[in-house]
Amino acid sequence: MDIVLWVKAAIMGIVEGLTEFLPISSTGHLILAGSLLDFTGDTVKVFEIAIQTGAMIAVVWEYRARLISTFAGIRSEPVAQRFALNVVIAFIPAGIFGFLFNKAIKAHLFHPVPVAVAFIVGGLVILWVERRHRRLYGERDLEGTRHARVETVDDMTPLDALKVGLLQCLALIPGTSRSGATIIGSLVLGFSRKAATEFSFFLGIPTLTAAGAYSVWKSRDLLHWGDLPIFLIGTAFAFISALICIRWLIRYVSSHDFTMFAWYRIVFGLIVLATAYTGTVNWAA
């Protein structure tokens, strides 16, 4: 029993849960946190993806009533059928691109400096989108008086879902943020903040499940039964912290924009680049 290893797994789980659904990149934070904790290696890369399942379970729990009603009405209710179809359509692009390019991305981009650059670029994109939003809609957007083209997830068309799914593919680049790509991209497509945020949550269910299962299966030769405790601990803490984050974020987007996250990304990315360049912090690969 390695208590230190368990504590590191718990910390990583908390980082995953708190960052998975915010537009700040959970993968990027896990890579950076793992470097600082000296928690790295091939098994840890599998761990970082597998514990996303905890965040996914948090979405299922929080929206269990909606999901149960969708499954119950899948055969006869048009709204339930359209919702399920949109989630499937949005998942397909990332599933295909992830399968084709996952190995190359891991080999070249799963390192702290490329992640830091992606942090900064993503932050600048968020600032641009929010500036565009203010110019187009002013305060109506945050006051809830603007009628968005897609006001709720039930207003989405299959074409909307496909566009969001293509945007999610950007998140294959570590540091970009799956939530950032889908939420911020959806705002550009004419979604309300609540619809963009909630659909990002729902899309995370198949995406995180598939990514975790595929990663564990593909790397099964690296894993041992002795690794099970740290995977369970990381997943459990990811669930708890993600549940807290989901509930907070839904309240937050009702009256705030994402500028705060943009500046966080930019400042954090610059700190990583500066400390890596000066050697102040040894950001291990």
Side-chain angles (χ1 to χ4, degrees):
M1 183 173 66
D2 190 335
I3 298 299
V4 173
L5 192 61
W6 288 14
V7 171
K8 290 181 179 181
I11 293 173
M12 295 288 279
I14 293 171
V15 171
E16 158 60 26
L18 292 179
T19 58
E20 179 61 50
F21 299 109
L22 300 179
I24 56 176
S25 176
S26 62
T27 302
H29 278 80
L30 288 171
I31 292 172
L32 299 176
S35 295
L36 288 176
L37 293 171
D38 191 26
F39 192 66
T40 58
D42 291 336
T43 300
V44 171
K45 289 181 180 180
V46 181
F47 168 86
E48 291 172 351
I49 297 175
I51 63 173
Q52 293 175 345
T53 306
M56 178 275 295
I57 296 172
V59 175
V60 173
W61 177 256
E62 182 66 12
Y63 289 95
R64 59 194 181 278
R66 172 63 190 263
L67 295 172
I68 291 172
S69 67
T70 296
F71 281 116
I74 199 72
R75 291 186 177 182
S76 58
E77 296 181 10
V79 172
Q81 292 170 348
R82 185 170 63 250
F83 172 74
L85 177 63
N86 285 339
V87 172
V88 171
I89 290 173
F91 163 72
I92 290 173
I96 294 173
F97 279 91
F99 179 77
L100 293 176
F101 301 110
N102 180 63
K103 186 175 181 180
I105 291 171
K106 279 188 175 182
H108 299 289
L109 298 178
F110 266 63
H111 305 286
V113 172
V115 167
V117 173
F119 265 95
I120 296 169
V121 172
L124 294 173
V125 170
I126 293 174
L127 289 177
W128 173 79
V129 171
E130 289 294 359
R131 183 176 181 180
R132 174 181 178 272
H133 239 59
R134 285 192 296 272
R135 186 177 70 252
L136 292 175
Y137 310 114
E139 292 302 314
R140 289 182 300 145
D141 187 59
L142 294 179
E143 292 172 352
T145 56
R146 173 179 78 92
H147 183 68
R149 185 180 65 81
V150 180
E151 193 66 37
T152 71
V153 292
D154 292 327
D155 298 326
M156 291 178 62
T157 66
L159 182 58
D160 289 325
L162 178 60
K163 290 177 180 178
V164 175
L166 291 172
L167 288 167
Q168 183 174 234
C169 293
L170 296 173
L172 293 171
I173 302 172
T176 300
S177 170
R178 188 196 66 82
S179 295
T182 53
I183 294 173
I184 302 303
S186 294
L187 293 181
V188 177
L189 295 175
F191 285 46
S192 69
R193 292 181 187 277
K194 189 172 187 294
T197 303
E198 287 193 340
F199 190 70
S200 180
F201 290 162
F202 292 127
L203 183 53
I205 296 174
T207 302
L208 301 182
T209 301
Y214 177 74
S215 180
V216 170
W217 173 255
K218 189 175 181 180
S219 303
R220 60 191 182 280
D221 292 339
L222 297 173
L223 304 176
H224 308 281
W225 283 109
D227 298 321
L228 186 60
I230 66 169
F231 276 71
L232 293 177
I233 290 170
T235 300
F237 276 88
F239 167 78
I240 296 169
S241 54
L243 190 60
I244 294 170
C245 183
I246 289 169
R247 293 176 177 177
W248 173 82
L249 185 59
I250 287 297
R251 293 194 301 271
Y252 180 86
V253 298
S254 65
S255 58
H256 297 80
D257 63 19
F258 293 100
T259 301
M260 174 182 71
F261 299 110
W263 286 114
Y264 170 83
R265 290 179 63 108
I266 293 169
V267 171
F268 193 26
L270 289 173
I271 290 173
V272 173
L273 290 179
T275 53
Y277 179 77
T278 60
T280 305
V281 177
N282 179 25
W283 297 103

